[in-house]
Amino acid sequence: MSLTHAKKGECFTLEYIESGNRAKRKLQDMGLTPGVKICVVSNSSFGPIILELRGSRIALGRGLVDKIAVRRIDE
Amino acid sequence: MNMDIFKIALAGNPNSGKTTLFNALTGSNHYVGNWAGVTVEKKEGRIQFAEHIMDIVDLPGIYSLSPYTLEEKISRDFILRENPDVVLNIVDATSLERSLYLTLQLIELGKPVIVALNMMDEAKKKNIELDLQNLSIALGVPVVPIVALKKEGIEKLMQEIIDAHHNKASYRPVKFNYGDEVENFVKEVELKLPKNLKEQYESRWIALKLYERDREIQNLVSPFEMESDLESPDRMANLRYKAIGDIVNGVAALEHIKYDISTDRIDKIILNPWIGLPIFGIVMWVVFFLTFSVGGYFADKVDTFFSVYLSNGISAILTFLQASDWMISLVVDGIIGGVGGVLTFVPNIAIIFIMISLLEDTGYMARAAYLMDDIMSKVGLNGKAFISMILGFGCNVPAIMATRTIENENDRMIAILINPFMSCGARFPIYVLFSSVFFPGNETAVTFSLYILGIAMAMLFAYIFRKTLFKGEKSPFIMELPPYRFPKTSDLLIHIWEKVKGYLIKAGTVIFAASVVIWVVLNFNTTGLVDITESFGATIGRFIAPIFKPLGFGTWQSALSLISGIVAKEIVVANTSIIYGLAENAGNAEVMAVLSQAFSKVSAYAFMVFVLLYTPCVGVIGVIKRETNSWKWTGFSVLYQFLVAWIMAFLFYNVGQLIF
Ligand SMILES: Nc1nc2c(ncn2[C@@H]2O[C@H](COP(=O)(O)OP(=O)(O)OP(=O)(O)O)[C@@H](O)[C@H]2O)c(=O)[nH]1
């Protein structure tokens, strides 16, 4: 699934990023590599999504959100 | 004593406290220059410690050394080509995992590395316990805990730097294990690598870069034909983070590393769509309010100093020395009038810079970008471009440089071309002068309206450019939201001083020279000393003036001011002061009398609109040339802004006349 409908507070494991080279590289450099645990801090229809991973917070534009494939972590 | 001089490169993630550490190490003993060939600020400082002299260079804040952004490329080239003796890597202890990604790459470059583990105070507060000894063993380099903000650990850091420098010859970087596939590849490459490259570079690093299919390194070792593999950069990033995971597991309990709680609380409000934008509006309003009111208060004092005490004092002295009238006029009307007219606004400029750097250093700027992303998307840019726009309120030169962080070339071109519409500090004096004469009591509202108009025009043209010249998708918004932090006053002051110094230097050089030239132009013609109305200046002004006639300010005085303002926008005020002799007579009534003869309320506003929008100053034109690397776009920028300014001023003047 993609992050599009992810809700605030939910956590996921990253599977892959399907996106152009530059954006993907940048995301990787910031820690979005396969297997990393990502938690959604906020995801409203307004503005970018906010993710928490590896101890930092990253805001990603709407355009990227559906390009990030994740798997829900069942607790 | 024999001095031992060596070079240190300071590298780290954005917001890791690099600037704070740099200031802690060098005090105010540093200067700001530019990187060769590119206009990215380069800070260098000198530290003296016992018999050692260390020259330290602050590299741009980066997440990685893969040369995808210019900043990364600059940092990497510096370490490879300039051969620093020691690389000082500052790491934010509260986001260890992410930060080590850069650390690993720095270590692999092969130069001795020292890790300065910063923000230890915050780490302690968050109960992040780190086994520094283990970390140091895993990385194979010294790890020094510091609190840059409180200058804790600095001495120890210096000692380690010196030791590393002395033991340089025996230093061997640790090999991080990336698994069999990579290791076999590395072995293979190391065998085949030509000798000269082996001597020049760390061969393991070359091999890893080849594995990553780094184009630059592939060209460097051209004999190595290898099949392209689009996945390998991904695999490498993945393997690096795996290696980091292993290291961090041995050093800290990862589960404890949580995001800052107080930041989380503040962000619940600040980033809430309904509350966040109004708060942002208030923040910007406060920024301008303080700039106008507090800045204005001090500006008044400076003005009195120049226009009353200094002018009167100097003319008294010159009269006493029996200087000729023209000499007194040159010094008092020309130099003090022109330069003083500009220096008066130092307090306002200082405050706007203080406010901007507060926004940056506290971490609010990233939130502003977040909040503006939706709105910016409507005009085809992403929220990041808004940061360069806000910086433009200070000065468009660094603002245009800041577009560097925008990844996509088309986006960056648009951001550069619209930036000059953001009203810089140098245009501010003009609004103050005119609005205090023509709109007394409403100065702030009038000035604010011009800033808003500037933003609106920037947005409009971003939209137009996106639809016409730079079609295509905007690049996606990717931005870290750093925890809120509070900068130290002394760091803030150092920062402001750097900016104000630039303004003062400009006043002492360009504005000084321009003031003298303008004075000459205004007092002479081919027959010698003449009345101002018969001077060269008046002739030139009269020649150009018809262009401005339809805008309501077709006098030779404003024409001359505007044209000379292209050298530096402050000159418009300097010029106005000289032309109307505003320097010696601070009396508001008199100023009003002279200016009101030349302008009506409506034409004064149209004049301000024109000043806001027209051709940027040479400094900005220069930076546009360097950043776009194209004369075509530079010329375009000069012309389209002139046209836009003309059309807008025309509209304001003619529509305004119908209404008022
Ligand atoms: N609590 C704490 N805050 C710090 C420390 N060092 C720096 N800061 C704060 O962290 C913020 C960022 O510091 P900077 O020095 O501007 O960081 P930088 O790495 O230069 O950031 P960029 O200019 O964006 O590259 C500032 O508000 C500093 O005051 C520290 O040791 N402890």
Side-chain angles (χ1 to χ4, degrees):
Chain A
M1 64 179 287
S2 81
L3 273 175
T4 316
H5 300 295
K7 293 205 177 53
K8 186 169 146 177
E10 288 179 328
C11 292
F12 303 86
T13 326
L14 178 75
E15 295 206 302
Y16 59 89
I17 301 169
E18 154 212 335
S19 170
N21 250 335
R22 259 166 200 256
K24 184 171 179 182
R25 191 101 334 124
K26 176 99 201 232
L27 292 174
Q28 283 170 343
D29 287 346
M30 294 179 93
L32 275 106
T33 55
V36 70
K37 183 182 170 194
I38 305 176
C39 294
V40 178
V41 177
S42 110
N43 186 16
S44 60
S45 55
F46 169 89
I49 191 172
I50 303 178
L51 305 175
E52 185 164 326
L53 66 142
R54 301 189 197 273
S56 58
R57 277 192 183 176
I58 295 172
L60 301 182
R62 291 266 125 219
L64 275 177
V65 176
D66 54 346
K67 305 231 165 67
I68 298 178
V70 292
R71 191 158 27 87
R72 183 172 280 117
I73 297 176
D74 298 309
E75 314 250 357
Chain B
M1 199 166 26
N2 222 344
M3 283 296 187
D4 161 31
I5 303 182
F6 62 100
K7 218 181 326 183
I8 305 170
L10 174 60
N13 287 175
N15 293 304
S16 53
K18 238 159 35 66
T19 313
T20 313
L21 176 61
F22 186 80
N23 289 342
L25 286 170
T26 62
S28 52
N29 192 7
H30 65 261
Y31 72 96
V32 182
N34 281 324
W35 293 96
V38 283
T39 335
V40 172
E41 269 192 5
K42 172 187 183 182
K43 273 208 222 153
E44 288 188 358
R46 186 162 261 210
I47 318 165
Q48 195 166 347
F49 189 75
E51 74 277 15
H52 309 278
I53 291 182
M54 300 173 239
D55 284 320
I56 178 162
V57 176
D58 190 11
L59 301 177
I62 48 173
Y63 290 107
S64 167
L65 280 182
S66 44
Y68 293 106
T69 69
L70 212 102
E71 272 106 349
E72 291 169 352
K73 203 171 137 41
I74 288 172
S75 299
R76 178 164 121 175
D77 287 353
F78 182 84
I79 298 173
L80 285 177
R81 311 245 151 81
E82 306 276 320
N83 265 317
D85 298 279
V86 178
V87 176
L88 177 55
N89 174 212
I90 179 163
V91 164
D92 177 352
T94 65
S95 59
L96 191 59
E97 223 185 331
R98 224 266 324 285
S99 316
L100 287 182
Y101 189 73
L102 176 65
T103 308
L104 257 55
Q105 300 183 52
L106 288 171
I107 290 173
E108 279 162 359
L109 275 177
K111 299 272 174 340
V113 171
I114 309 273
V115 170
L117 203 56
N118 193 29
M119 315 267 179
M120 287 305 283
D121 54 335
E122 279 191 17
K124 196 169 285 167
K125 248 191 258 159
K126 291 189 191 170
N127 291 322
I128 302 176
E129 286 195 23
L130 299 170
D131 183 343
L132 300 187
Q133 207 162 359
N134 250 343
L135 183 59
S136 169
I137 292 169
L139 297 174
V141 302
V143 174
V144 184
I146 64 165
V147 182
L149 200 61
K150 296 178 195 136
K151 297 196 181 182
E152 284 172 31
I154 303 296
E155 193 134 326
K156 174 96 188 350
L157 189 62
M158 300 249 211
Q159 203 54 59
E160 290 288 357
I161 293 171
I162 291 164
D163 289 351
H165 170 53
H166 288 154
N167 303 329
K168 199 165 56 172
S170 59
Y171 172 76
R172 292 284 170 276
V174 156
K175 294 179 181 166
F176 303 104
N177 188 352
Y178 294 131
D180 290 344
E181 193 204 325
V182 176
E183 295 306 327
N184 289 337
F185 180 88
V186 168
K187 258 185 222 133
E188 204 180 309
V189 172
E190 279 179 333
L191 279 178
K192 290 194 234 160
L193 210 59
K195 196 154 164 260
N196 63 328
L197 281 178
K198 270 193 194 170
E199 275 163 12
Q200 206 179 344
Y201 301 101
E202 185 68 26
S203 47
R204 183 179 169 81
W205 181 73
I206 298 269
L208 289 172
K209 281 291 149 190
L210 284 177
Y211 183 81
E212 260 188 275
R213 304 297 191 274
D214 183 311
R215 198 150 310 136
E216 221 172 279
I217 304 300
Q218 276 178 312
N219 291 338
L220 194 70
V221 277
S222 35
F224 267 84
E225 273 311 323
M226 41 197 296
E227 75 278 28
S228 71
D229 179 351
L230 292 176
E231 300 286 298
S232 69
D234 304 3
R235 274 204 301 276
M236 199 61 226
N238 207 359
L239 288 168
R240 282 222 169 85
Y241 267 109
K242 266 214 185 86
I244 292 168
D246 292 342
I247 295 173
V248 175
N249 270 327
V251 170
L254 262 186
E255 309 79 70
H256 286 177
I257 303 187
K258 282 265 149 54
Y259 194 70
D260 195 58
I261 299 169
S262 36
T263 297
D264 189 55
R265 283 203 197 110
I266 301 173
D267 272 349
K268 284 220 166 79
I269 302 165
I270 298 260
L271 298 184
N272 176 303
W274 299 107
I275 316 173
L277 275 176
I279 291 183
F280 179 54
I282 294 171
V283 167
M284 289 316 288
W285 186 82
V286 169
V287 167
F288 287 112
F289 177 76
L290 291 179
T291 306
F292 302 148
S293 66
V294 181
Y297 174 80
F298 289 106
D300 263 356
K301 303 270 174 247
V302 180
D303 183 41
T304 315
F305 169 75
F306 279 109
S307 55
V308 181
Y309 300 117
L310 199 63
S311 295
N312 291 348
I314 300 264
S315 24
I317 293 171
L318 288 175
T319 316
F320 177 76
L321 294 175
Q322 298 185 324
S324 52
D325 280 350
W326 70 263
M327 185 71 189
I328 299 179
S329 165
L330 169 63
V331 174
V332 175
D333 302 337
I335 297 172
I336 301 182
V339 177
V342 170
L343 287 185
T344 302
F345 295 95
V346 165
N348 306 87
I349 308 264
I351 289 184
I352 188 98
F353 278 122
I354 290 179
M355 301 317 279
I356 289 174
S357 59
L358 263 178
L359 294 182
E360 274 192 299
D361 291 351
T362 52
Y364 187 75
M365 202 68 112
R367 274 77 184 177
Y370 168 91
L371 288 167
M372 290 303 291
D373 187 57
D374 248 23
I375 296 169
M376 295 299 287
S377 295
K378 302 236 156 51
V379 300
L381 287 174
N382 78 42
K384 221 182 232 178
F386 200 69
I387 296 183
S388 63
M389 290 170 66
I390 294 184
L391 295 178
F393 290 139
C395 171
N396 301 108
V397 172
I400 287 172
M401 292 180 216
T403 59
R404 277 277 155 78
T405 56
I406 298 171
E407 291 93 0
N408 172 302
E409 261 321 293
N410 274 353
D411 289 21
R412 199 164 90 89
M413 284 299 296
I414 298 175
I416 291 173
L417 289 177
I418 62 168
N419 198 279
F421 286 137
M422 306 307 286
S423 189
C424 67
R427 277 169 265 181
F428 174 75
I430 301 157
Y431 311 148
V432 176
L433 181 66
F434 278 80
S435 60
S436 66
V437 172
F438 294 97
F439 306 95
N442 295 317
E443 290 98 332
T444 309
V446 167
T447 309
F448 204 66
S449 74
L450 289 159
Y451 279 88
I452 301 288
L453 177 67
I455 299 175
M457 295 307 286
M459 298 283 200
L460 175 67
F461 276 89
Y463 183 78
I464 293 174
F465 289 150
R466 174 59 90 198
K467 289 281 176 237
T468 55
L469 298 169
F470 300 99
K471 288 190 187 139
E473 277 290 293
K474 72 176 169 66
S475 62
F477 180 68
I478 304 175
M479 183 145 220
E480 187 183 358
L481 300 176
Y484 290 108
R485 292 196 174 110
F486 288 90
K488 215 166 62 173
T489 329
S490 63
D491 284 332
L492 205 60
L493 291 180
I494 289 176
H495 187 84
I496 304 313
W497 172 234
E498 275 164 13
K499 301 283 184 201
V500 170
K501 199 164 68 180
Y503 190 81
L504 291 179
I505 289 172
K506 196 155 87 173
T509 52
V510 180
I511 313 287
F512 180 88
S515 297
V516 174
V517 171
I518 289 166
W519 181 87
V520 170
V521 166
L522 287 174
N523 284 279
F524 283 86
N525 71 17
T526 42
T527 61
L529 205 57
V530 288
D531 187 68
I532 196 165
T533 51
E534 282 152 35
S535 63
F536 285 128
T539 313
I540 301 170
R542 276 191 204 104
F543 181 70
I544 308 167
I547 303 178
F548 301 115
K549 190 123 202 130
L551 315 182
F553 42 89
T555 61
W556 68 264
Q557 290 94 331
S558 26
L560 187 67
S561 299
L562 290 171
I563 293 306
S564 51
I566 293 178
V567 174
K569 292 287 162 83
E570 295 94 326
I571 292 177
V572 180
V573 157
N575 205 342
T576 312
S577 312
I578 298 172
I579 292 177
Y580 296 111
L582 302 184
E584 324 115 284
N585 44 43
N588 226 349
E590 226 165 316
V591 177
M592 206 155 8
V594 246
L595 277 183
S596 351
Q597 270 170 14
F599 293 92
S600 65
K601 261 188 187 348
V602 175
S603 71
Y605 195 82
F607 183 77
M608 291 190 276
V609 168
F610 190 84
V611 167
L612 164 73
L613 302 173
Y614 86 118
T615 305
C617 70
V618 283
V620 173
I621 296 174
V623 82
I624 293 178
K625 164 68 183 63
R626 267 173 304 193
E627 294 293 317
T628 59
N629 203 12
S630 142
W631 280 115
K632 187 182 111 197
W633 288 117
T634 312
F636 173 79
S637 166
V638 168
L639 289 179
Y640 103 89
Q641 285 203 219
F642 193 91
L643 277 178
V644 169
W646 196 93
I647 293 169
M648 290 308 289
F650 180 83
L651 287 178
F652 270 95
Y653 177 63
N654 289 290
V655 175
Q657 279 214 307
L658 294 179
I659 301 172
F660 298 103

